[in-house]
Amino acid sequence: MQIIKEQNIIINNPETKSFLADCYYPESDQKLPLLIFAHGYKGYKDWGTFNLMAEEFVKTGFAFVKFNFSHNGTTLDNSSQFDDLEAFGNNNYSKEMSDYQAVIDFFSSHPKVDPSRITIMGHSRGGGNTILQAYRDSRVKALVTLAGVENFGNRFPKKERLAEYKANGVFYVENGRTKQQMPHYYQFYEDYINHEKELNIQFAAQHLKKPYLIVHGTTDEAVSLKSAMLLHDWVKTSELLQIEGANHTFGGREPWNEDNLPIDLLFVVESVTKYLFKNI
């Protein structure tokens, strides 16, 4: 199968700033179902296994889009390094949701895409974004979360440290791989508080009436399996797939120098494909 790769397409979002996206699809005369993938915290579209994952989904008949959130720290010139920590520090959930909308707006009119068969999938923090977007966007017919979070608010510094956060105007998180000190300016918390209702994942989940596959590893070290169980309880139209022994990235890592996906992530692709083609 020939896979067409339209890479580093510039998406212009006047509400945030321009960012990059990729669109992979099989050579076909037919319009294709679209699957859009949102990366997680300290992630980016070309992380580790994501290019191989895109190709595997394309082999099953999807047009597959992955993108960098505009303020994830990457740049138009370098899509896979955190060269813009100032942008990273000024990121917030409202900007990410605006970017998600811009991606769907852009690719829903792609000549190879069937706009009546749009699905979205997010990993980790991107899973939270995905639930919110699926709830608010009638074009989205089904969704998938991979190790998805169930709450944004509990990922800020604890209450006793919020005063310190406000006084300093920033807190830092070390990137374990690059050893960079990643800033989070206080506006991140302020934006969440100002838009807490729109960013309430539990509310969106409890009012979601779309097919939803929740995928989670039983040994996830970053997002507890309890998050998946809560989401499954909240969304009555959901199915929960627990992958025994799988970690937060389903065996993936950065860099990924092998030619094939790790076995857990390959199983994820197969399971997601089967679920979506049954439900869209």
Side-chain angles (χ1 to χ4, degrees):
M1 172 189 289
Q2 183 178 357
I3 297 177
I4 311 298
K5 301 178 184 180
E6 298 177 0
Q7 295 175 299
N8 295 326
I9 302 164
I10 296 177
I11 309 296
N12 296 307
N13 184 359
E15 293 183 354
T16 58
K17 64 177 188 147
S18 298
F19 58 94
L20 298 176
D22 300 336
C23 183
Y24 290 35
Y25 51 90
E27 191 171 37
S28 172
D29 295 330
Q30 307 293 320
K31 286 189 176 283
L32 303 163
L34 174 63
L35 176 55
I36 296 174
F37 174 69
H39 67 76
Y41 178 57
K42 291 185 287 186
Y44 44 89
K45 69 179 180 64
D46 298 318
W47 185 92
T49 49
F50 291 167
N51 290 325
L52 277 178
M53 181 178 73
E55 293 180 16
E56 287 299 321
F57 274 109
V58 168
K59 290 175 186 176
T60 69
F62 281 100
F64 187 93
V65 166
K66 53 191 177 72
F67 65 97
N68 282 333
F69 283 109
S70 64
H71 284 69
N72 73 344
T74 63
T75 66
L76 297 182
D77 295 323
N78 193 338
S79 65
S80 58
Q81 298 292 331
F82 297 117
D83 284 349
D84 192 349
L85 291 182
E86 186 68 11
F88 185 93
N90 281 298
N91 193 21
N92 58 52
Y93 296 119
S94 294
K95 288 175 180 173
E96 290 182 344
M97 295 311 301
S98 177
D99 291 338
Y100 219 145
Q101 185 77 28
V103 170
I104 297 177
D105 290 346
F106 186 93
F107 287 102
S108 61
S109 60
H110 190 285
K112 291 294 183 180
V113 165
D114 178 352
S116 70
R117 302 179 76 196
I118 295 174
T119 60
I120 58 177
M121 176 172 71
H123 176 248
S124 194
R125 172 163 145 179
N129 298 122
T130 293
I131 295 165
L132 295 174
Q133 187 65 34
Y135 169 66
R136 66 177 65 177
D137 194 330
S138 62
R139 296 171 298 179
V140 175
K141 303 307 179 189
L143 68 151
V144 178
T145 57
L146 310 179
V149 302
E150 88 298 347
N151 185 293
F152 285 151
N154 62 17
R155 281 162 172 78
F156 288 101
K158 301 304 179 188
K159 188 174 182 179
E160 57 271 17
R161 293 189 57 206
L162 281 176
E164 180 185 353
Y165 182 20
K166 184 176 182 179
N168 293 335
V170 63
F171 78 90
Y172 294 89
V173 174
E174 183 175 285
N175 185 313
R177 180 177 60 85
T178 68
K179 305 308 177 185
Q180 291 168 288
Q181 295 297 317
M182 313 288 280
H184 298 273
Y185 297 126
Y186 191 67
Q187 64 79 33
F188 184 31
Y189 180 69
E190 288 181 310
D191 176 79
Y192 173 75
I193 293 301
N194 291 335
H195 300 94
E196 194 168 3
K197 183 177 179 181
E198 304 99 289
L199 297 171
N200 187 323
I201 297 171
Q202 180 176 349
F203 178 88
Q206 289 175 327
H207 292 80
L208 198 59
K209 295 179 172 61
K210 297 176 181 181
Y212 173 22
L213 179 63
I214 303 163
V215 183
H216 217 102
T218 61
T219 59
D220 191 321
E221 71 285 5
V223 178
S224 169
L225 181 61
K226 182 181 177 182
S227 298
M229 293 177 171
L230 283 171
L231 290 169
H232 183 44
D233 183 58
W234 293 338
V235 185
K236 302 311 177 188
T237 53
S238 67
E239 291 185 20
L240 174 59
L241 172 62
Q242 298 183 43
I243 301 183
E244 190 66 35
N247 67 3
H248 186 60
T249 56
F250 303 94
R253 61 182 179 273
E254 172 65 49
W256 183 259
N257 297 317
E258 300 181 31
D259 294 331
N260 298 302
L261 288 177
I263 188 168
D264 285 338
L265 189 52
L266 184 60
F267 180 68
V268 168
V269 172
E270 292 169 350
S271 302
V272 169
T273 299
K274 190 178 299 184
Y275 179 84
L276 290 180
F277 276 118
K278 187 174 71 175
N279 284 283
I280 61 170

PDB file of all heavy atoms in Angstrom, residues 225-249:
ATOM      1  N   LEU A 225      -5.083   3.998  36.616  1.00  0.00           N
ATOM      2  CA  LEU A 225      -6.172   3.240  35.997  1.00  0.00           C
ATOM      3  C   LEU A 225      -7.522   3.685  36.537  1.00  0.00           C
ATOM      4  O   LEU A 225      -8.548   3.578  35.853  1.00  0.00           O
ATOM      5  CB  LEU A 225      -5.961   1.744  36.241  1.00  0.00           C
ATOM      6  CG  LEU A 225      -6.984   0.774  35.655  1.00  0.00           C
ATOM      7  CD1 LEU A 225      -7.048   0.881  34.136  1.00  0.00           C
ATOM      8  CD2 LEU A 225      -6.661  -0.657  36.084  1.00  0.00           C
ATOM      9  N   LYS A 226      -7.537   4.228  37.744  1.00  0.00           N
ATOM     10  CA  LYS A 226      -8.774   4.746  38.327  1.00  0.00           C
ATOM     11  C   LYS A 226      -9.401   5.813  37.437  1.00  0.00           C
ATOM     12  O   LYS A 226     -10.637   5.924  37.365  1.00  0.00           O
ATOM     13  CB  LYS A 226      -8.493   5.317  39.719  1.00  0.00           C
ATOM     14  CG  LYS A 226      -9.729   5.839  40.434  1.00  0.00           C
ATOM     15  CD  LYS A 226      -9.385   6.422  41.805  1.00  0.00           C
ATOM     16  CE  LYS A 226     -10.615   7.007  42.469  1.00  0.00           C
ATOM     17  NZ  LYS A 226     -10.311   7.615  43.784  1.00  0.00           N
ATOM     18  N   SER A 227      -8.562   6.600  36.751  1.00  0.00           N
ATOM     19  CA  SER A 227      -9.080   7.627  35.835  1.00  0.00           C
ATOM     20  C   SER A 227      -9.940   6.996  34.750  1.00  0.00           C
ATOM     21  O   SER A 227     -11.023   7.488  34.419  1.00  0.00           O
ATOM     22  CB  SER A 227      -7.931   8.412  35.203  1.00  0.00           C
ATOM     23  OG  SER A 227      -7.189   9.099  36.187  1.00  0.00           O
ATOM     24  N   ALA A 228      -9.464   5.896  34.182  1.00  0.00           N
ATOM     25  CA  ALA A 228     -10.218   5.203  33.141  1.00  0.00           C
ATOM     26  C   ALA A 228     -11.527   4.649  33.689  1.00  0.00           C
ATOM     27  O   ALA A 228     -12.571   4.704  33.024  1.00  0.00           O
ATOM     28  CB  ALA A 228      -9.371   4.076  32.554  1.00  0.00           C
ATOM     29  N   MET A 229     -11.478   4.126  34.899  1.00  0.00           N
ATOM     30  CA  MET A 229     -12.682   3.551  35.495  1.00  0.00           C
ATOM     31  C   MET A 229     -13.724   4.632  35.773  1.00  0.00           C
ATOM     32  O   MET A 229     -14.931   4.414  35.577  1.00  0.00           O
ATOM     33  CB  MET A 229     -12.314   2.801  36.769  1.00  0.00           C
ATOM     34  CG  MET A 229     -11.471   1.567  36.506  1.00  0.00           C
ATOM     35  SD  MET A 229     -10.951   0.730  38.025  1.00  0.00           S
ATOM     36  CE  MET A 229     -10.230  -0.776  37.344  1.00  0.00           C
ATOM     37  N   LEU A 230     -13.272   5.810  36.219  1.00  0.00           N
ATOM     38  CA  LEU A 230     -14.202   6.917  36.426  1.00  0.00           C
ATOM     39  C   LEU A 230     -14.840   7.338  35.109  1.00  0.00           C
ATOM     40  O   LEU A 230     -16.059   7.544  35.025  1.00  0.00           O
ATOM     41  CB  LEU A 230     -13.464   8.098  37.053  1.00  0.00           C
ATOM     42  CG  LEU A 230     -13.155   7.986  38.549  1.00  0.00           C
ATOM     43  CD1 LEU A 230     -12.225   9.111  38.980  1.00  0.00           C
ATOM     44  CD2 LEU A 230     -14.434   8.014  39.376  1.00  0.00           C
ATOM     45  N   LEU A 231     -14.033   7.481  34.062  1.00  0.00           N
ATOM     46  CA  LEU A 231     -14.558   7.873  32.753  1.00  0.00           C
ATOM     47  C   LEU A 231     -15.580   6.853  32.253  1.00  0.00           C
ATOM     48  O   LEU A 231     -16.634   7.216  31.714  1.00  0.00           O
ATOM     49  CB  LEU A 231     -13.417   8.029  31.751  1.00  0.00           C
ATOM     50  CG  LEU A 231     -12.495   9.232  31.964  1.00  0.00           C
ATOM     51  CD1 LEU A 231     -11.257   9.126  31.065  1.00  0.00           C
ATOM     52  CD2 LEU A 231     -13.239  10.538  31.681  1.00  0.00           C
ATOM     53  N   HIS A 232     -15.256   5.595  32.434  1.00  0.00           N
ATOM     54  CA  HIS A 232     -16.169   4.533  31.991  1.00  0.00           C
ATOM     55  C   HIS A 232     -17.495   4.598  32.747  1.00  0.00           C
ATOM     56  O   HIS A 232     -18.571   4.371  32.177  1.00  0.00           O
ATOM     57  CB  HIS A 232     -15.498   3.177  32.196  1.00  0.00           C
ATOM     58  CG  HIS A 232     -16.298   2.018  31.709  1.00  0.00           C
ATOM     59  ND1 HIS A 232     -16.965   2.005  30.503  1.00  0.00           N
ATOM     60  CD2 HIS A 232     -16.551   0.811  32.280  1.00  0.00           C
ATOM     61  CE1 HIS A 232     -17.582   0.846  30.343  1.00  0.00           C
ATOM     62  NE2 HIS A 232     -17.360   0.113  31.408  1.00  0.00           N
ATOM     63  N   ASP A 233     -17.415   4.935  34.024  1.00  0.00           N
ATOM     64  CA  ASP A 233     -18.632   5.063  34.833  1.00  0.00           C
ATOM     65  C   ASP A 233     -19.448   6.275  34.402  1.00  0.00           C
ATOM     66  O   ASP A 233     -20.685   6.225  34.360  1.00  0.00           O
ATOM     67  CB  ASP A 233     -18.251   5.181  36.311  1.00  0.00           C
ATOM     68  CG  ASP A 233     -19.469   5.251  37.219  1.00  0.00           C
ATOM     69  OD1 ASP A 233     -20.288   4.317  37.189  1.00  0.00           O
ATOM     70  OD2 ASP A 233     -19.611   6.252  37.939  1.00  0.00           O
ATOM     71  N   TRP A 234     -18.785   7.364  34.041  1.00  0.00           N
ATOM     72  CA  TRP A 234     -19.477   8.595  33.668  1.00  0.00           C
ATOM     73  C   TRP A 234     -20.116   8.514  32.287  1.00  0.00           C
ATOM     74  O   TRP A 234     -21.180   9.078  32.068  1.00  0.00           O
ATOM     75  CB  TRP A 234     -18.508   9.773  33.691  1.00  0.00           C
ATOM     76  CG  TRP A 234     -17.992  10.130  35.042  1.00  0.00           C
ATOM     77  CD1 TRP A 234     -18.566   9.843  36.251  1.00  0.00           C
ATOM     78  CD2 TRP A 234     -16.775  10.836  35.340  1.00  0.00           C
ATOM     79  NE1 TRP A 234     -17.790  10.329  37.285  1.00  0.00           N
ATOM     80  CE2 TRP A 234     -16.693  10.946  36.754  1.00  0.00           C
ATOM     81  CE3 TRP A 234     -15.760  11.397  34.556  1.00  0.00           C
ATOM     82  CZ2 TRP A 234     -15.617  11.587  37.385  1.00  0.00           C
ATOM     83  CZ3 TRP A 234     -14.695  12.027  35.179  1.00  0.00           C
ATOM     84  CH2 TRP A 234     -14.633  12.125  36.587  1.00  0.00           C
ATOM     85  N   VAL A 235     -19.456   7.852  31.353  1.00  0.00           N
ATOM     86  CA  VAL A 235     -19.937   7.831  29.963  1.00  0.00           C
ATOM     87  C   VAL A 235     -20.658   6.512  29.709  1.00  0.00           C
ATOM     88  O   VAL A 235     -20.035   5.458  29.576  1.00  0.00           O
ATOM     89  CB  VAL A 235     -18.781   8.014  28.959  1.00  0.00           C
ATOM     90  CG1 VAL A 235     -19.342   8.105  27.529  1.00  0.00           C
ATOM     91  CG2 VAL A 235     -17.970   9.263  29.281  1.00  0.00           C
ATOM     92  N   LYS A 236     -21.959   6.577  29.613  1.00  0.00           N
ATOM     93  CA  LYS A 236     -22.754   5.359  29.504  1.00  0.00           C
ATOM     94  C   LYS A 236     -22.591   4.676  28.152  1.00  0.00           C
ATOM     95  O   LYS A 236     -22.914   3.485  28.012  1.00  0.00           O
ATOM     96  CB  LYS A 236     -24.236   5.684  29.757  1.00  0.00           C
ATOM     97  CG  LYS A 236     -24.503   6.325  31.119  1.00  0.00           C
ATOM     98  CD  LYS A 236     -23.847   5.584  32.271  1.00  0.00           C
ATOM     99  CE  LYS A 236     -24.062   6.278  33.603  1.00  0.00           C
ATOM    100  NZ  LYS A 236     -23.263   5.654  34.698  1.00  0.00           N
ATOM    101  N   THR A 237     -22.099   5.417  27.157  1.00  0.00           N
ATOM    102  CA  THR A 237     -21.907   4.838  25.828  1.00  0.00           C
ATOM    103  C   THR A 237     -20.465   4.366  25.618  1.00  0.00           C
ATOM    104  O   THR A 237     -20.045   4.131  24.483  1.00  0.00           O
ATOM    105  CB  THR A 237     -22.239   5.879  24.749  1.00  0.00           C
ATOM    106  OG1 THR A 237     -21.475   7.074  25.008  1.00  0.00           O
ATOM    107  CG2 THR A 237     -23.717   6.209  24.748  1.00  0.00           C
ATOM    108  N   SER A 238     -19.708   4.209  26.710  1.00  0.00           N
ATOM    109  CA  SER A 238     -18.281   3.882  26.584  1.00  0.00           C
ATOM    110  C   SER A 238     -18.004   2.394  26.743  1.00  0.00           C
ATOM    111  O   SER A 238     -18.799   1.647  27.330  1.00  0.00           O
ATOM    112  CB  SER A 238     -17.473   4.657  27.627  1.00  0.00           C
ATOM    113  OG  SER A 238     -17.783   4.210  28.940  1.00  0.00           O
ATOM    114  N   GLU A 239     -16.857   1.993  26.208  1.00  0.00           N
ATOM    115  CA  GLU A 239     -16.284   0.673  26.456  1.00  0.00           C
ATOM    116  C   GLU A 239     -14.899   0.882  27.036  1.00  0.00           C
ATOM    117  O   GLU A 239     -14.173   1.801  26.621  1.00  0.00           O
ATOM    118  CB  GLU A 239     -16.196  -0.154  25.172  1.00  0.00           C
ATOM    119  CG  GLU A 239     -17.543  -0.581  24.607  1.00  0.00           C
ATOM    120  CD  GLU A 239     -17.400  -1.506  23.406  1.00  0.00           C
ATOM    121  OE1 GLU A 239     -16.318  -2.121  23.242  1.00  0.00           O
ATOM    122  OE2 GLU A 239     -18.366  -1.588  22.623  1.00  0.00           O
ATOM    123  N   LEU A 240     -14.519   0.048  27.994  1.00  0.00           N
ATOM    124  CA  LEU A 240     -13.211   0.146  28.641  1.00  0.00           C
ATOM    125  C   LEU A 240     -12.355  -1.040  28.235  1.00  0.00           C
ATOM    126  O   LEU A 240     -12.746  -2.191  28.419  1.00  0.00           O
ATOM    127  CB  LEU A 240     -13.375   0.184  30.169  1.00  0.00           C
ATOM    128  CG  LEU A 240     -12.092   0.135  30.998  1.00  0.00           C
ATOM    129  CD1 LEU A 240     -11.158   1.292  30.668  1.00  0.00           C
ATOM    130  CD2 LEU A 240     -12.420   0.100  32.495  1.00  0.00           C
ATOM    131  N   LEU A 241     -11.176  -0.737  27.695  1.00  0.00           N
ATOM    132  CA  LEU A 241     -10.202  -1.761  27.341  1.00  0.00           C
ATOM    133  C   LEU A 241      -8.978  -1.591  28.237  1.00  0.00           C
ATOM    134  O   LEU A 241      -8.233  -0.617  28.103  1.00  0.00           O
ATOM    135  CB  LEU A 241      -9.803  -1.633  25.867  1.00  0.00           C
ATOM    136  CG  LEU A 241      -8.645  -2.534  25.397  1.00  0.00           C
ATOM    137  CD1 LEU A 241      -9.014  -4.018  25.548  1.00  0.00           C
ATOM    138  CD2 LEU A 241      -8.264  -2.212  23.953  1.00  0.00           C
ATOM    139  N   GLN A 242      -8.794  -2.514  29.154  1.00  0.00           N
ATOM    140  CA  GLN A 242      -7.609  -2.521  30.001  1.00  0.00           C
ATOM    141  C   GLN A 242      -6.564  -3.439  29.373  1.00  0.00           C
ATOM    142  O   GLN A 242      -6.867  -4.591  29.053  1.00  0.00           O
ATOM    143  CB  GLN A 242      -7.945  -3.025  31.405  1.00  0.00           C
ATOM    144  CG  GLN A 242      -8.948  -2.173  32.157  1.00  0.00           C
ATOM    145  CD  GLN A 242      -9.191  -2.693  33.568  1.00  0.00           C
ATOM    146  OE1 GLN A 242      -8.257  -3.063  34.279  1.00  0.00           O
ATOM    147  NE2 GLN A 242     -10.452  -2.732  33.970  1.00  0.00           N
ATOM    148  N   ILE A 243      -5.353  -2.921  29.207  1.00  0.00           N
ATOM    149  CA  ILE A 243      -4.283  -3.718  28.608  1.00  0.00           C
ATOM    150  C   ILE A 243      -3.329  -4.144  29.711  1.00  0.00           C
ATOM    151  O   ILE A 243      -2.621  -3.319  30.297  1.00  0.00           O
ATOM    152  CB  ILE A 243      -3.566  -2.941  27.496  1.00  0.00           C
ATOM    153  CG1 ILE A 243      -4.584  -2.540  26.416  1.00  0.00           C
ATOM    154  CG2 ILE A 243      -2.443  -3.775  26.897  1.00  0.00           C
ATOM    155  CD1 ILE A 243      -4.002  -1.827  25.231  1.00  0.00           C
ATOM    156  N   GLU A 244      -3.344  -5.420  29.998  1.00  0.00           N
ATOM    157  CA  GLU A 244      -2.580  -5.964  31.113  1.00  0.00           C
ATOM    158  C   GLU A 244      -1.085  -5.725  30.925  1.00  0.00           C
ATOM    159  O   GLU A 244      -0.498  -6.072  29.894  1.00  0.00           O
ATOM    160  CB  GLU A 244      -2.854  -7.471  31.239  1.00  0.00           C
ATOM    161  CG  GLU A 244      -2.308  -8.103  32.500  1.00  0.00           C
ATOM    162  CD  GLU A 244      -2.993  -7.578  33.747  1.00  0.00           C
ATOM    163  OE1 GLU A 244      -4.218  -7.302  33.688  1.00  0.00           O
ATOM    164  OE2 GLU A 244      -2.307  -7.464  34.781  1.00  0.00           O
ATOM    165  N   GLY A 245      -0.492  -5.087  31.933  1.00  0.00           N
ATOM    166  CA  GLY A 245       0.952  -4.860  31.926  1.00  0.00           C
ATOM    167  C   GLY A 245       1.420  -3.678  31.120  1.00  0.00           C
ATOM    168  O   GLY A 245       2.619  -3.371  31.103  1.00  0.00           O
ATOM    169  N   ALA A 246       0.509  -2.974  30.444  1.00  0.00           N
ATOM    170  CA  ALA A 246       0.919  -1.847  29.599  1.00  0.00           C
ATOM    171  C   ALA A 246       1.198  -0.610  30.438  1.00  0.00           C
ATOM    172  O   ALA A 246       0.502  -0.337  31.421  1.00  0.00           O
ATOM    173  CB  ALA A 246      -0.155  -1.544  28.554  1.00  0.00           C
ATOM    174  N   ASN A 247       2.203   0.171  30.007  1.00  0.00           N
ATOM    175  CA  ASN A 247       2.545   1.397  30.723  1.00  0.00           C
ATOM    176  C   ASN A 247       1.858   2.606  30.090  1.00  0.00           C
ATOM    177  O   ASN A 247       0.971   2.459  29.236  1.00  0.00           O
ATOM    178  CB  ASN A 247       4.063   1.576  30.795  1.00  0.00           C
ATOM    179  CG  ASN A 247       4.699   1.833  29.424  1.00  0.00           C
ATOM    180  OD1 ASN A 247       4.021   1.944  28.404  1.00  0.00           O
ATOM    181  ND2 ASN A 247       6.012   1.929  29.400  1.00  0.00           N
ATOM    182  N   HIS A 248       2.272   3.800  30.480  1.00  0.00           N
ATOM    183  CA  HIS A 248       1.591   5.027  30.047  1.00  0.00           C
ATOM    184  C   HIS A 248       1.681   5.243  28.541  1.00  0.00           C
ATOM    185  O   HIS A 248       0.758   5.807  27.938  1.00  0.00           O
ATOM    186  CB  HIS A 248       2.181   6.219  30.793  1.00  0.00           C
ATOM    187  CG  HIS A 248       1.461   7.512  30.536  1.00  0.00           C
ATOM    188  ND1 HIS A 248       0.122   7.683  30.834  1.00  0.00           N
ATOM    189  CD2 HIS A 248       1.882   8.696  30.003  1.00  0.00           C
ATOM    190  CE1 HIS A 248      -0.249   8.923  30.508  1.00  0.00           C
ATOM    191  NE2 HIS A 248       0.790   9.546  30.002  1.00  0.00           N
ATOM    192  N   THR A 249       2.766   4.815  27.923  1.00  0.00           N
ATOM    193  CA  THR A 249       2.958   5.036  26.480  1.00  0.00           C
ATOM    194  C   THR A 249       2.814   3.733  25.689  1.00  0.00           C
ATOM    195  O   THR A 249       3.212   3.667  24.537  1.00  0.00           O
ATOM    196  CB  THR A 249       4.337   5.664  26.209  1.00  0.00           C
ATOM    197  OG1 THR A 249       5.358   4.822  26.776  1.00  0.00           O
ATOM    198  CG2 THR A 249       4.425   7.056  26.817  1.00  0.00           C
TER     199      THR A 249
END
